[in-house]
Amino acid sequence: AAVPSLVYTVQNNLMFYSFEKLSAPVQQVLYQMKVITTAGIGVLLLGQQLSTTKWAACFLLAGGVAMVQWPREPAEGEFAYF
């Protein structure tokens, strides 16, 4: 039980650092990666078994994070803010 709590502590400290460096939407989406990280560490280091439903949920969450981070072209008439 010490490994997941240590990982959560590191992630929470990095989250506070990210408030200064990232925009709010980007920070919130990346915050969701905590679930995937915890599941991965649980499987790799602790030998936990995940059901098919839980694996599917992790992959859907990872796909959602990837889709939000995917670069987009501004629509016609929109101004690009970067």
Side-chain angles (χ1 to χ4, degrees):
V3 173
S5 62
L6 179 64
V7 171
Y8 265 9
T9 301
V10 170
Q11 284 182 330
N12 283 333
N13 287 328
L14 289 173
M15 181 185 65
F16 286 114
Y17 177 74
S18 72
F19 284 144
E20 299 173 2
K21 305 294 182 186
L22 299 173
S23 66
V26 172
Q27 196 279 333
Q28 188 63 29
V29 168
L30 290 178
Y31 182 73
Q32 298 303 317
M33 291 296 290
K34 182 185 281 191
V35 175
I36 299 169
T37 304
T38 304
I41 287 176
V43 169
L44 294 175
L45 297 181
L46 302 176
Q48 294 178 342
Q49 298 289 321
L50 295 181
S51 67
T52 305
T53 304
K54 290 181 181 178
W55 277 115
C58 285
F59 285 121
L60 284 172
L61 182 59
V65 169
M67 286 173 40
V68 169
Q69 295 300 315
W70 197 267
R72 296 178 294 215
E73 294 291 325
E76 190 172 319
E78 267 188 7
F79 180 73
Y81 293 102
F82 49 89

